[in-house]
């Protein structure tokens, strides 16, 4: 018997405790600490240390958890921990894992090691792993759990309960049983709750519900949007012939949801989605360098535009001083719209004729905010430089740039989506280029026309 | 008996179908369409239309689902749908809802309506709603489900199963039973899976597990980090005396997780977290205007810095042309670091002595990328303007700005966090200010020293 008096505390505290133990240098105490953590907590802690400290932590991870921990950490961390593992060691670690975890781990190792480990698996697990590996990277089939608990439709609830106990079929994450016919085609599903709460003499068919299902080849991110919009905790996965091949459950959906939110944030901030917090300096520098290079190209494009107006710039230095204000206001206005639209796209709220409504709306938000802030900027510029042509030019340029920014903020992601390019990834770069170029062009162009005639 | 042949399709298709029905103007068909949707789907569809179309949709929502739909839509949409509802109508809608949904809906209505509706509730629901309302906005208590299924520890599993069937206690989301003592103090919990899979003659105590619990006053975002890091699908909530007051389940955790990810993205793009995709033009313009105003202040600060160097700008116009390149490269480098650190903070991976490791890492990433890109920029500038002083100045300025940017990208969120300010919300604004000011100051300052002596 156990009593509970552990109240969960902030996750940072565990991290601090481990840091203290490591700095005291008492390896035995570190190992005692790990004996009390579960696989998810250990994976999280491993990801909270640089590679140099991970070795010292890894030797303290209990042998029986190492496989599950490897399946849970990010790919970069896994690769560093498994860098010189032999096939035999990998086989040992994966012995008690399910097919999903094994498939994930084997993605990281050398082809020769992978082959050897697969050969060592028992027949049913080997088959499941091969099924998972046969699916494309972003398909539902790749993320699904191939293990399902299947029952027949013409038995009583009591029979199902006895069958489960005899076979020891349920794991702690089970919540639904699949009802299938003789050909393993999906007929419906029965929830664990319905199994327990209803008259045990009743037939499965009475409480079975018509189960919506996913196609195994469907894009997993699309699928996550659908499942969230229906608040489903579980969904069966079938192939094109209607044969049950697995299930996607709430944990998979949550994982995909977090990945998607993460990728949007990273893409918009020009960070690669595989950058790990504690990656070595060289790895991070390289991965970020790619985006810095792309940004440099767009920055020089903006500079090139400015370069076309050297004549007016050398005559009125106030233009150089005020120039960044125009680009900055357009940049922010555009990125506000871009973010709102990318979110709407991710939630499946943008489509059909509401795109025109949104386009129209963003146009007017841009015009309205453009007018308001252009007026403010115009007044400040006039007080500062006392040059009404400069004030007029910046007022007009801000209205133009903020309107174009808002319109681009909706047009760019919609066009990218139609071209099947992830808007979160390249949307921000293209938008900044547009707002910089339009900002400098309108500001300095108008100045040239009005000042140099 | 039902058979399943519905395979889930892309969420956009449902939206397009409804749009077509609405444009055909056949209200009857629209209502037929809604008769087949569940509450979550209806809520999602309502959020996918501007307010003008929502009225036409709302009258087609089946009466018995309206309450649940209202509880699920975002606050802005709810407020617009409920704007002129009387207390009686609200009472009707909330009749069959659980306390969580009622509490949520009542947050939106006038105080007088709220009071009248609460008076109309049955005693136990009223008490639960009042308990929920007594908690602060971001506490676990506010988000928890106050309904739990409690069992005693000294009975057999069979007894529990019979008790559940007689009382009709389980709802479709149930997954765990609370084991409590006579004073309603939490002793442990028993999973539905364990209830079904084990020998029915056994006592609850045999399969009860030591249940970790959350304090009701804990910050709900902190709690979500902990629950995710443990992959818990459910956790009991207790008050300071150890009395069970409710439970947080996977749906709540998922909701909080999505809110958090959303707020980070919105904050970094300067969008208010209450901005709704289909908000009217004026509402969106106002809500974004606040951030545009803040940005304007920082843009003028940057302009002021440039204004200090009019002398050198009027002498060498190439400086005005190249100036934005320095600010832009610093801005991107800084926001890369900021994003990585904010994510790490959100996952509870940053704390204690690893902050110095990260600080050191970001410093070197900044120096390294600064050197590489400064060299590239220097070469391009030299080829373009053939002025070695300008090339030298921009090379130095980029190294300085990118290094400062990376260091600020980690220092700013850590300082904000210590000041208990959300780094995702103000981090980006402060960082842009720093990279603009440092960029212009170093570039034009060095130019002044080297060119004007």
């Amino acid at each position: 018997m156990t009593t509970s008096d552990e109240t969960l505390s902030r996750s940072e505290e565990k991290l601090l405790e481990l840091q203290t133990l490591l700095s005291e240098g008492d390896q035995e105490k570190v190992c005692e600490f790990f004996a009390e953590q579960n696989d998810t907590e250990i994976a999280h802690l491993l990801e909270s240390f640089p590679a140099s400290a991970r070795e010292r932590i890894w030797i303290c991870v209990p042998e029986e958890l190492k496989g599950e921990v490897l399946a849970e950490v990010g790919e970069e961390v896994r690769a560093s921990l498994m860098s010189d593992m032999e096939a035999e060691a990998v086989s040992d670690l994966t012995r008690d894992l399910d097919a999903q975890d094994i498939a994930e781990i084997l993605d990281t190792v050398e082809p020769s090691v992978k082959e050897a480990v697969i050969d060592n698996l028992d027949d049913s697990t080997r088959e499941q792993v091969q099924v998972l590996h046969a699916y494309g990277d972003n398909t539902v089939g790749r993320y699904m759990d191939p293990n399902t608990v299947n029952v027949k439709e013409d038995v009583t609830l009591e029979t199902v309960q006895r069958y489960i106990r005899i076979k020891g079929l349920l794991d702690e994450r089970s919540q639904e049983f699949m009802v299938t016919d003789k050909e393993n085609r999906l007929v419906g599903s029965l929830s664990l709750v319905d199994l327990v709460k209803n008259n045990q003499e009743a037939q499965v068919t009475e409480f079975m519900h018509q189960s919506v299902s996913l196609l195994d080849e469907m894009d997993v991110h699309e699928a996550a949007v659908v499942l969230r919009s229906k608040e489903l905790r579980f969904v069966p996965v079938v192939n094109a012939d209607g044969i049950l091949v697995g299930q996607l459950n709430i944990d998979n959906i949550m994982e995909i949801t977090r990945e998607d939110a993460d990728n949007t944030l990273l893409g918009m901030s020009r960070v690669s989605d595989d950058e790990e917090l504690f990656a070595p300096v060289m790895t991070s520098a390289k991965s970020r360098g790619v985006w810095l290079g792309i940004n440099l190209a767009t920055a020089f494009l903006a500079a090139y535009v400015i370069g076309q107006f050297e004549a007016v710039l050398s005559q009125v230095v106030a233009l150089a001083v005020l120039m960044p204000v125009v680009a900055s206001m357009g940049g922010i206005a555009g990125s506000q719209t871009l973010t709102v639209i990318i979110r709407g796209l991710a939630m499946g709220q943008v489509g059909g004729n509401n795109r025109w409504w949104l386009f129209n709306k963003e146009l007017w938000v841009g015009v309205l905010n453009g007018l308001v802030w252009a007026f403010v900027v115009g007044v400040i510029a006039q007080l500062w430089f006392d040059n009404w042509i400069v004030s007029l030019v910046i007022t007009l340029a801000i209205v133009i740039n903020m309107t174009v920014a808002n319109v681009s903020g909706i047009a760019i992601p919609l066009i990218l989506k139609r071209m099947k390019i992830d808007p979160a990834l390249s949307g921000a770069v293209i938008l900044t280029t547009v707002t910089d170029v339009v900002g400098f062009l309108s500001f300095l162009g108008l100045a040239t026309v009005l000042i140099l005639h």
Side-chain angles (χ1 to χ4, degrees), chain A:
Chain A
M1 197 192 107
T2 53
T3 53
S4 115
D5 53 1
E6 187 195 348
T7 306
L8 289 172
S9 60
R10 301 171 61 227
S11 55
E12 224 181 284
E13 280 164 27
K14 203 156 260 180
L15 177 62
L16 297 181
E17 193 184 334
L18 179 55
Q19 285 178 356
T20 311
L21 291 177
L22 282 169
S23 67
E24 283 168 2
D26 186 344
Q27 191 73 21
E28 209 167 303
K29 274 195 182 157
V30 175
C31 290
E32 275 169 30
F33 172 86
F34 276 104
E36 282 166 24
Q37 314 300 320
N38 71 21
D39 50 329
T40 321
E41 288 167 306
I42 298 174
H44 188 253
L45 286 167
L46 274 167
E47 287 176 339
S48 308
F49 283 88
S52 55
R54 268 182 221 139
E55 296 295 314
R56 279 184 63 200
I57 298 177
W58 184 244
I59 40 176
C60 278
V61 175
E63 284 303 320
E64 69 276 15
L65 289 181
K66 279 187 169 167
E68 283 169 58
V69 169
L70 278 180
E72 291 201 36
V73 292
E75 209 173 316
E76 301 287 307
V77 176
R78 189 188 309 133
S80 82
L81 288 172
M82 296 186 73
S83 58
D84 37 43
M85 268 190 208
E86 303 285 330
E88 207 180 328
V90 179
S91 274
D92 280 349
L93 288 177
T94 53
R95 181 150 302 138
D96 298 319
L97 297 188
D98 60 28
Q100 264 184 308
D101 287 346
I102 298 176
E104 180 119 30
I105 290 178
L106 292 185
D107 276 341
T108 310
V109 300
E110 301 283 306
S112 64
V113 174
K114 179 173 158 180
E115 234 167 273
V117 173
I118 289 185
D119 283 345
N120 267 338
L121 294 173
D122 63 78
D123 291 352
S124 82
T125 312
R126 184 187 316 121
E127 198 183 312
Q128 287 183 341
V129 170
Q130 283 165 339
V131 165
L132 290 173
H133 274 157
Y135 286 108
D137 254 355
N138 282 306
T139 60
V140 166
R142 189 58 183 263
Y143 279 76
M144 74 185 182
D145 182 354
N147 283 307
T148 55
V149 180
N150 304 357
V151 300
K152 295 202 192 91
E153 52 185 323
D154 55 356
V155 294
T156 64
L157 300 187
E158 197 183 359
T159 312
V160 173
Q161 283 219 24
R162 261 189 294 120
Y163 169 74
I164 288 163
R165 283 196 279 276
I166 293 166
K167 297 270 187 177
L169 279 175
L170 293 182
D171 71 28
E172 47 172 325
R173 303 262 157 196
S174 305
Q175 44 192 349
E176 289 264 348
F177 306 97
M178 311 290 176
V179 186
T180 49
D181 68 13
K182 278 171 218 132
E183 277 83 42
N184 209 25
R185 258 193 298 267
L186 184 68
V187 182
S189 73
L190 173 75
S191 73
L192 187 51
V193 167
D194 277 328
L195 176 68
V196 171
K197 81 190 249 200
N198 294 303
N199 178 6
Q200 298 297 299
E201 306 299 320
Q203 298 269 311
V204 165
T205 41
E206 259 185 77
F207 300 104
M208 178 178 96
H209 41 272
Q210 174 153 10
S211 188
V212 289
S213 57
L214 285 176
L215 268 178
D216 54 356
E217 298 283 1
M218 187 178 184
D219 180 88
V220 77
H221 305 284
E222 269 297 340
V225 175
V226 180
L227 298 179
R228 285 198 304 267
S229 80
K230 285 182 164 279
E231 285 205 338
L232 291 176
R233 282 187 174 189
F234 141 92
V235 66
V237 180
V238 297
N239 66 17
D241 302 323
I243 306 289
L244 180 72
V245 290
Q247 64 178 37
L248 213 56
N249 62 36
I250 184 86
D251 306 285
N252 307 123
I253 299 165
M254 193 141 148
E255 188 192 331
I256 300 159
T257 302
R258 291 188 59 201
E259 274 180 25
D260 286 348
D262 229 33
N263 288 346
T264 305
L265 178 65
L266 294 175
M268 292 196 63
S269 308
R270 280 84 144 180
V271 182
S272 309
D273 62 1
D274 56 0
E275 171 151 351
E276 180 231 324
L277 185 58
F278 292 92
V281 170
M282 279 305 292
T283 311
S284 285
K286 265 193 226 163
S287 120
R288 297 191 203 166
V290 177
W291 282 106
L292 288 166
I294 294 171
N295 184 64
L296 187 62
T298 78
F300 266 113
L301 181 63
Y304 173 80
V305 171
I306 302 171
Q308 304 309 303
F309 301 98
E310 286 194 15
V312 74
L313 275 170
S314 64
Q315 202 165 322
V316 188
V317 76
L319 295 174
V321 174
L322 292 172
M323 200 169 65
V325 175
V326 181
S328 166
M329 291 302 277
I332 298 296
S335 95
Q336 289 177 330
T337 303
L338 182 71
T339 306
V340 170
I341 300 299
I342 284 178
R343 260 176 91 219
L345 283 171
M347 291 196 279
Q349 292 185 307
V350 180
N353 57 25
N354 73 22
R355 285 178 293 197
W356 290 108
W357 191 95
L358 286 170
F359 193 89
N360 205 38
K361 172 192 159 172
E362 290 300 334
L363 173 67
W364 287 108
V365 171
V367 170
L368 216 64
N369 269 329
L371 287 171
V372 170
W373 296 109
F375 176 76
V376 174
V377 171
V379 169
I380 298 175
Q382 179 61 23
L383 293 173
W384 189 351
F385 292 103
D386 195 19
N387 177 335
W388 73 267
I389 300 188
V390 168
S391 306
L392 176 67
V393 165
I394 199 166
T395 307
L396 292 173
I398 288 211
V399 176
I400 294 171
N401 201 26
M402 284 180 70
T403 307
V404 171
N406 269 35
V407 169
S408 310
I410 176 162
I412 291 169
L414 289 180
I415 293 169
L416 287 174
K417 208 201 158 192
R418 178 157 299 184
M419 294 166 68
K420 305 215 179 295
I421 299 171
D422 179 6
L425 202 62
S426 18
V429 180
I430 300 175
L431 182 74
T432 310
T433 313
V434 170
T435 54
D436 277 2
V437 168
V438 172
F440 295 135
L441 203 61
S442 58
F443 183 54
L444 300 176
L446 283 168
T448 304
V449 171
L450 292 177
I451 294 170
L452 302 185
H453 307 291

